[in-house]
Amino acid sequence: MSTSSELVQRQLDAYNRQDIEAFLECYAEDAVLGGLNGDVTQSGAADIRARHLELFAQFPENKATIVNEMDLGSTVILHEDVSRAPGGDQFQVAAIYTIRNGKIARVDFARGTA
């Protein structure tokens, strides 16, 4: 497993624990999140923190599991299965992580149904 894959796995583990501090440690201060081929939805650590604190409060049993992974060095692509709660909303995500200087600099998401 490369250092990029290890970083992405650490942030996914923190996401699943809803550990906002460990989650944000994986991101660059100026990181951005966005839709694939779309607009940036969060820009910077403060926006990412606010978005995920809201998400964690709204979905306390939210979990993402890796279905498949491609590690291309500075780019890691995950196919994730996300469940908001047991028996609740479930969907698939392709998450494209761009790594710069040992931190996640950008994530682009494409979402579909399970």
Side-chain angles (χ1 to χ4, degrees):
M1 181 179 285
S2 77
T3 56
S4 294
S5 284
E6 289 171 358
L7 174 66
V8 170
Q9 183 64 57
R10 273 197 322 273
Q11 72 84 45
L12 186 64
D13 291 344
Y15 173 89
N16 283 336
R17 290 190 315 271
Q18 298 193 359
D19 180 343
I20 193 67
E21 298 307 326
F23 179 77
L24 288 172
E25 284 176 9
C26 299
Y27 284 82
E29 189 64 32
D30 62 348
V32 296
L33 306 181
L36 183 62
N37 298 318
D39 294 331
V40 169
T41 55
Q42 283 83 41
S43 182
D47 280 357
I48 295 170
R49 175 187 293 278
R51 161 73 174 105
H52 284 82
L53 285 174
E54 179 182 322
L55 176 76
F56 296 162
Q58 186 176 3
F59 301 106
E61 296 182 73
N62 187 71
K63 297 284 184 244
T65 57
I66 298 172
V67 176
N68 202 355
E69 176 180 357
M70 291 179 64
D71 183 342
L72 305 171
S74 63
T75 303
V76 176
I77 303 168
L78 295 185
H79 172 193
E80 301 174 7
D81 183 49
V82 180
S83 175
R84 293 294 191 210
D89 188 25
Q90 188 170 356
F91 54 92
Q92 304 287 302
V93 171
I96 303 166
Y97 296 87
T98 301
I99 312 304
R100 183 180 68 236
N101 299 323
K103 298 282 187 173
I104 298 169
R106 182 178 180 102
V107 187
D108 292 285
F109 295 97
R111 179 177 165 167
T113 57

